Amino acid sequence: MTANPEVVIVGGGLAGLAAARTLVAQGIPTQLLEASADVGGRVATDEVEGFRLDRGFQVLLDSYPEARTALDLGALDLRAFAPGALVRRGRGFGRIADPWRDPVAGVRSLVSGVFTPGDAWRMMRLRHDALRAVDTAPAAMDVTTARALADRGFSDRAVEGFFKPFFGGVFLDAQLAAPAHWFEFLFAMFATGRATLPADGMRAIPRQLAAALPAGTVRTGAKVRLARPGRVELADGEVLSPRAVIVATDARALALLVPGTRVPGWNGCVTLYWAAERSPVAEPVLVLEGNARGGPVSHLCVPSDVAPAYAPAGAALVSATMVGTPGQADAELDRAARAQLAGWFGEATVRGWRLLRAVRVPHSLPRVPAGLVPDRAVRLGEGLYASGDHLETPSINGALRSGRRAAEALLADWAGQRGAVA
């Protein structure tokens, strides 16, 4: 435990850890309180029978600016997905490839059945515009991704066969209602970087951040029941009196600790994990459902094809994600998914899979409605700050950036107070 902390951070997810990292770097005595037994929040990995199951489908884009600053990417031992994707169209698969990384495969993408010839030019313009827009911030994100794609003239075939299954899976929203500026940022990140998995699972990201903090900075199993300027009360009755408090929980917990704060809607998902004797795809690629009524599974991958340690030796881990929060029991979801995937890989292949777990994450990503101003204020009052991806963009980059911004706002306020006294 940090003696006499000047700052208490409530919440040990990526935002809280990023805030702690920023404050500790400036020599500020800081205490981070996390209610659960481990840091990370929604970025977590569970061990089941020797398999590593991330808390729903997650990847780290190694092009994220905040990840490049806050993380030691080399130490995470990142393993990359192949660029592009396989898209199920009709009864077969078409491959979508990045022509800038693989010109031959990129040209073949044009005859995959997913794009029209005119979509090729539109993709080039989208890439150009997205890369130029990375460092700009709009006053308000008032156009949806679906509207922006329509305005650019993309064909229905491209929207239904690629954008909806791919970015609908990223947003956990098949309607592509996310703001266009957020979509363009993500498009640029995929275009310039790699989708990766740490060899030890996504849990390695928050654990790395926590391990870099001074001993005693992080306290797990410390549930907070009240957070006010200058006062933090724990569920066991302990009271801390810091100079400032950063509430780095998700928006639901923030609203309980600080009444009156905004609670966003949420996008959720269910990820089914199966143990298999062998991979059905045998390559580190994302497989998308490109048929409008193909079935409940939005996308599938084999994490052990990407990072072998996700499965024990001689086995494969198959992951399939459904967008939304269906109410059916696990066994029903299992049957529905297998029926769909039997059409992809054959009944004999799918029959041998054993369900390990259906991971339900109803509060996976805070919904960012079009029209919402990004980079929202982190100051809740004098000595009280907030951070979390609900104040930025729903992503690892957004969580890390929000934590850094909250800490920097606090430091700026303290510097201003010293200046006023002087």
Side-chain angles (χ1 to χ4, degrees):
M1 176 177 176
T2 300
N4 302 315
E6 288 194 56
V7 179
V8 167
I9 300 172
V10 182
L14 296 185
L17 291 165
R21 175 183 181 274
T22 303
L23 294 172
V24 165
Q26 297 300 315
I28 306 298
T30 301
Q31 181 78 80
L32 185 150
L33 305 176
E34 167 56 39
S36 66
D38 200 359
V39 294
R42 284 168 279 147
V43 182
T45 306
D46 299 314
E47 295 269 359
V48 178
E49 300 179 24
F51 294 88
R52 293 173 180 170
L53 313 185
D54 291 328
R55 201 72 54 82
F57 178 73
Q58 303 180 44
V59 298
L60 171 63
L61 296 179
D62 63 2
S63 50
Y64 275 152
E66 295 293 327
R68 289 177 171 270
T69 300
L71 301 173
D72 182 344
L73 297 180
L76 288 174
D77 192 12
L78 298 176
R79 308 301 177 92
F81 282 81
L86 290 178
V87 182
R88 182 71 174 178
R89 291 286 292 172
R91 296 181 179 273
F93 292 99
R95 186 177 295 271
I96 303 301
D98 185 344
W100 283 266
R101 302 187 197 192
D102 189 340
V104 174
V107 171
R108 288 174 179 167
S109 297
L110 298 180
V111 295
S112 66
V114 177
F115 299 113
T116 67
D119 289 326
W121 168 250
R122 299 179 188 103
M123 287 289 280
M124 292 176 64
R125 288 300 308 172
L126 173 59
R127 188 181 193 276
H128 174 269
D129 294 345
L131 292 176
R132 289 189 61 187
V134 165
D135 297 322
T136 65
M141 300 187 283
D142 56 358
V143 177
T144 67
T145 297
R147 180 71 263 165
L149 292 173
D151 289 345
R152 286 180 176 274
F154 278 103
S155 68
D156 290 343
R157 186 191 306 176
V159 172
E160 296 295 331
F162 174 68
F163 288 109
K164 280 191 175 181
F166 189 92
F167 284 96
V170 173
F171 299 142
L172 299 180
D173 170 25
Q175 302 308 310
L176 301 181
H181 186 271
W182 171 223
F183 158 72
E184 290 178 359
F185 174 81
L186 278 176
F187 192 94
M189 294 298 99
F190 278 107
T192 57
R194 307 174 303 164
T196 69
L197 296 174
D200 193 42
M202 293 296 288
R203 64 187 176 187
I205 298 171
R207 287 182 177 180
Q208 183 187 94
L209 290 169
L213 297 172
T217 300
V218 177
R219 290 175 60 185
T220 57
K223 183 176 178 57
V224 173
R225 68 184 181 192
L226 182 144
R228 298 287 185 273
R231 184 179 181 87
V232 174
E233 295 181 9
L234 279 68
D236 63 5
E238 181 182 357
V239 176
L240 299 175
S241 301
R243 184 177 171 189
V245 177
I246 298 176
V247 181
T249 64
D250 69 21
R252 296 168 299 152
L254 173 63
L256 293 174
L257 293 170
V258 185
T261 52
R262 173 186 170 274
V263 180
W266 290 86
N267 292 330
C269 66
V270 178
T271 298
L272 303 177
Y273 286 106
W274 293 282
E277 292 184 359
R278 63 186 61 87
S279 168
V281 293
E283 61 175 310
V285 67
L286 190 65
V287 187
L288 311 176
E289 176 57 85
N291 295 310
R293 294 178 177 81
V297 171
S298 167
H299 55 272
L300 173 144
C301 71
V302 182
S304 54
D305 282 346
V306 183
Y310 267 69
L317 177 64
V318 180
S319 164
T321 297
M322 303 176 179
V323 174
T325 53
Q328 297 100 313
D330 291 355
E332 294 180 61
L333 296 179
D334 183 29
R335 284 193 294 271
R338 285 175 190 263
Q340 175 185 356
L341 300 177
W344 293 16
F345 307 119
E347 175 64 33
T349 296
V350 173
R351 187 189 309 121
W353 297 352
R354 179 169 57 86
L355 183 67
L356 292 168
R357 183 173 291 179
V359 179
R360 298 171 183 265
V361 192
H363 301 99
S364 182
L365 296 176
R367 193 174 300 136
V368 183
L372 196 65
V373 176
D375 297 351
R376 296 188 295 286
V378 296
R379 293 176 175 86
L380 300 178
E382 186 174 352
L384 185 62
Y385 304 81
S387 68
D389 61 353
H390 56 282
L391 297 172
E392 287 271 352
T393 51
S395 63
I396 289 173
N397 192 77
L400 293 172
R401 188 172 189 273
S402 179
R404 174 178 61 80
R405 285 181 57 228
E408 289 175 348
L410 181 157
L411 293 169
D413 290 346
W414 285 7
Q417 292 168 8
R418 288 196 298 271
V421 172

